[in-house]
Amino acid sequence: MSQDLAYAARLLLDAKRILVFTGAGISTESGLPDFRGTEGVWTKFSQEDFELDRYLTDRTVRMRAWANRFPKMFGNAKPNPAHVAVTDLWNAGKLVGCVTQNIDGLHQAAGLPQEAIAELHGNSDGIACVQCGAAHDPKEIEERWVNGDVDPHCDHCGGILKSTIVFYGEVLPQGELELASQWAAQADAVVAVGSSLSVYPAAYIPLEIASRGDTFVIVNAAPTDLDSVASLRLEGLAGEILPRLVGAITA
Ligand SMILES: [Zn+2]
């Protein structure tokens, strides 16, 4: 074990309520590009297509969004050892909760129960009306789409339907934000994985814990905006570092 990793493990060894904060970087090893990462490209999707104003006003943007949505948005992406390590931490009784900026559902796919996850940017599974909020069954909407309804609207009010991913220009889901804040208040340490920690209000979650003087470990391939307030940053691949770190503190 490297010196830094051993030091991080020592800092976290006595923690009982670790909050894990994850960003796109935890999923790059699952084959999903990190559009804010060093590669800087979102190969399959255009970032503009996730701007709420454009979505609401431009039918062709919505048509493209549904064409991306069906079939499954993230294809056959599978959880990697970093996702599994977060689940291991939960199973060991040391995780207060996992706050994620990701919409790929890979924490759930790695066996982490939904009750342990706060999805700050929503998720790609649900479909809801932007006007009345009514949830719609994705299978039904997909069937309508397959049968030629290229811009499906709400059954109840005729409003525009949208994936429950949080778009640019949209407020974060209140319930998820409250859950994340509760966990931040209860946490005695935080580990941030695969995030540049530059997007707010999400980044307030690790910042709040760190500002109390509690241990703050960052696992990221590149420098982050919060390196200066962290206990330390472990540089490298999350899928290699996190399993070793979690193994060292749960053994
Ligand atoms: Zn509606």
Side-chain angles (χ1 to χ4, degrees):
M1 203 185 319
S2 79
Q3 227 174 351
D4 281 355
L5 197 68
Y7 177 55
R10 203 157 62 238
L11 290 176
L12 290 168
L13 196 58
D14 294 328
K16 291 176 177 65
R17 297 176 306 278
I18 299 171
L19 186 149
V20 172
F21 180 91
T22 64
I26 195 174
S27 295
T28 48
E29 290 160 76
S30 293
L32 300 177
D34 175 1
F35 63 100
R36 288 196 179 88
T38 45
E39 286 172 30
V41 283
W42 220 16
T43 50
K44 189 175 172 192
F45 312 108
S46 160
Q47 187 169 321
E48 290 187 329
D49 285 352
F50 291 85
E51 287 168 9
L52 188 63
D53 285 351
R54 281 172 52 94
Y55 185 86
L56 295 181
T57 54
D58 190 340
R59 183 169 186 264
T60 59
V61 170
R62 294 197 295 276
M63 287 167 61
R64 211 158 42 229
W66 294 116
N68 280 330
R69 174 70 170 69
F70 305 124
K72 220 170 166 335
M73 191 167 168
F74 293 105
N76 293 318
K78 299 239 178 351
N80 66 60
H83 296 101
V84 174
V86 178
T87 305
D88 289 344
L89 202 58
W90 171 258
N91 290 335
K94 288 174 77 84
L95 181 74
V96 69
C98 175
V99 178
T100 187
Q101 300 173 282
N102 298 340
I103 53 173
D104 53 34
L106 291 181
H107 284 297
Q108 290 92 332
L112 192 63
Q114 191 68 46
E115 67 188 83
I117 308 168
E119 296 177 300
L120 293 185
H121 294 164
N123 66 63
S124 62
D125 289 340
I127 292 172
C129 171
V130 296
Q131 197 159 304
C132 74
H136 284 63
D137 181 355
K139 285 203 188 73
E140 276 174 31
I141 302 303
E142 179 168 12
E143 208 175 295
R144 271 162 61 177
W145 182 80
V146 167
N147 288 311
D149 185 357
V150 291
D151 179 24
H153 280 59
C154 179
D155 294 332
H156 310 285
C157 75
I160 291 170
L161 292 183
K162 184 184 142 301
S163 154
T164 50
I165 295 168
V166 175
F167 279 29
Y168 295 97
E170 193 173 6
V171 294
L172 301 194
Q174 197 55 34
E176 303 294 303
L177 206 51
E178 278 169 18
L179 190 58
S181 299
Q182 277 175 27
W183 288 340
Q186 295 164 1
D188 56 7
V190 56
V191 179
V193 187
S195 172
S196 61
L197 301 170
S198 60
V199 179
Y200 288 86
Y204 283 126
I205 298 296
L207 192 56
E208 181 190 329
I209 301 165
S211 61
R212 291 198 300 260
D214 287 323
T215 296
F216 177 21
V217 173
I218 296 174
V219 179
N220 203 48
T224 80
D225 284 10
L226 296 185
D227 283 1
S228 62
V229 297
S231 311
L232 80 165
R233 177 168 61 87
L234 300 171
E235 187 161 318
L237 293 173
E240 288 171 11
I241 294 172
L242 206 57
R244 294 170 70 195
L245 183 61
V246 168
I249 63 174
T250 57

